[in-house]
Amino acid sequence: MRKLLLCTALIVVLAAFLYVSINPADFGYSTGDHLVFGHPRYVDMDDYFIHNGQNQTGANNIVTSIVFDYRGFDTLGEASVLFTAVLAVGMVLRALRRDAK
Amino acid sequence: MMSKIVRTQANFLYPLIMIFGFYIVAHGHLTPGGGFQGGAVIATGVALIAVAYSYKNVKTWIKKTRLTATEAIGLLTFIITALLGISRSFFYNWLANTGLLFGQPVPYGINPGYLNTAGTLPIMNFAVGIEVLGGLGVIIMYYLHYIKEVSKNAV
C-alpha cells in the first residue's frame, strides 16, 4: 500500500515536471520559435533590485544586498536557527553525559 | 593523534583555510559568498585541527566557552547593527553612501570592486561569519567530547 502510494506520488511529480519541460511557454517567456526556459513572467522586482541595488546599498553583489539588507529579517531568522541548533546540541549531549555517569 | 604526515599537512593547510575563509567573509559584498559560507569554511579549519590532533590536545587550545561567547557576540552585533537604523526602519542601511566607514558611493554598473563600500553589509557579514564560526565550531567540539565520553564508557 505504501509502495503504491509512493509510486503514485512519484508519477504525479514526474508528470508535472515533464509537462513543464514540454510546455515551458505556460511558465515563462517564449522568444520566437524557441521556448526559452528560465525567463520568468513577472520581473518587476528583479529589475528594481538590479537597477537600484548598487545605488541604494553600495554593494556590487546584489545577492548579498538582498540577503542582508532588503530581506534582512530572513537572515536574522537563519542566524537564530543556527543559534537554536547549537543550544539544542549542547542540551542533548549534556543530558546524555549525565545519564552515562 | 594522527600520524606525522597528517599533522604536517594540517599545519600547512590550516592558515590557508583561515585566510580563505576570512577572505570570503571580508569580500562578501563584492564576490560570491558571505558570512555563512565564510564562517563554514573557517569552521572546517577547526574540524581539521580537531581531527589531526586528538581532542585531548585541542580542547586546551580551542575552548568551548570562548566559541559560545563568539557566537553570542556575532548574533548581538548583527541585531544591534540592524537596530541602529531604526529611525528609518529595521535593517535600514544607515552607513551606505555617507562617506564614513564603508560609506564610499559606488558607480552604477561594472566596477573593479571597492572594499570600502556597502555600508552595514560588511559589518553584518563579519557578525554572521563570527556567529557561524562559533556555532559550527562548538557543535564539532560537543560531538568530539561526546564521542570521547562514549568510547571511555565502552572500554
Side-chain angles (χ1 to χ4, degrees):
Chain A
M1 185 62 203
R2 250 183 96 185
K3 263 185 189 168
L4 190 72
L5 216 67
L6 279 174
C7 283
T8 318
L10 199 66
I11 287 167
V12 167
V13 171
L14 186 70
F17 276 121
L18 277 179
Y19 176 74
V20 173
S21 63
I22 290 168
N23 298 313
D26 295 348
F27 298 91
Y29 281 140
S30 61
T31 58
D33 300 333
H34 299 286
L35 298 172
V36 179
F37 206 45
H39 285 241
R41 188 168 288 176
Y42 304 106
V43 293
D44 299 343
M45 190 166 279
D46 309 356
D47 281 343
Y48 179 82
F49 286 142
I50 289 167
H51 291 303
N52 296 321
Q54 243 177 342
N55 289 330
Q56 287 178 348
T57 67
N60 281 355
N61 192 350
I62 294 183
V63 175
T64 302
S65 69
I66 289 171
V67 164
F68 283 99
D69 199 327
Y70 293 112
R71 302 281 179 267
F73 266 117
D74 190 62
T75 312
L76 182 61
E78 276 183 58
S80 316
V81 163
L82 188 70
F83 196 79
T84 318
V86 170
L87 275 180
V89 167
M91 254 166 55
V92 167
L93 293 189
R94 194 158 291 173
L96 286 173
R97 205 170 67 205
R98 197 175 297 138
D99 281 354
K101 244 173 214 174
Chain B
M1 193 182 286
M2 288 273 205
S3 68
K4 183 129 184 111
I5 301 168
V6 177
R7 274 181 285 144
T8 311
Q9 289 293 334
N11 286 345
F12 175 68
L13 281 175
Y14 181 68
L16 295 182
I17 290 173
M18 285 286 142
I19 290 167
F20 183 57
F22 276 109
Y23 167 80
I24 290 179
V25 173
H27 289 242
H29 56 294
L30 299 175
T31 55
F36 285 101
Q37 294 88 340
V41 170
I42 299 171
T44 338
V46 175
L48 176 71
I49 285 294
V51 168
Y53 298 83
S54 69
Y55 174 73
K56 195 177 66 189
N57 298 322
V58 171
K59 78 176 177 189
T60 58
W61 304 336
I62 304 167
K63 296 244 179 357
K64 281 201 283 282
T65 50
R66 277 188 202 156
L67 283 175
T68 319
T70 313
E71 190 199 6
I73 287 168
L75 193 57
L76 273 178
T77 314
F78 185 72
I79 295 173
I80 287 169
T81 315
L83 267 177
L84 281 177
I86 199 78
S87 61
R88 286 289 293 274
S89 69
F90 199 46
F91 278 102
Y92 177 69
N93 200 337
W94 50 278
L95 264 175
N97 301 327
T98 54
L100 301 172
L101 182 71
F102 298 126
Q104 183 184 342
V106 63
Y108 177 70
I110 298 168
N111 57 54
Y114 305 106
L115 206 58
N116 194 19
T117 55
T120 56
L121 296 191
I123 300 172
M124 284 180 175
N125 265 326
F126 265 110
V128 170
I130 284 175
E131 199 228 326
V132 172
L133 155 69
L136 295 184
V138 84
I139 284 177
I140 292 166
M141 297 306 274
Y142 268 132
Y143 277 149
L144 287 172
H145 190 97
Y146 179 63
I147 288 169
K148 190 92 181 155
E149 290 282 329
V150 166
S151 63
K152 201 200 304 176
N153 284 334
V155 172

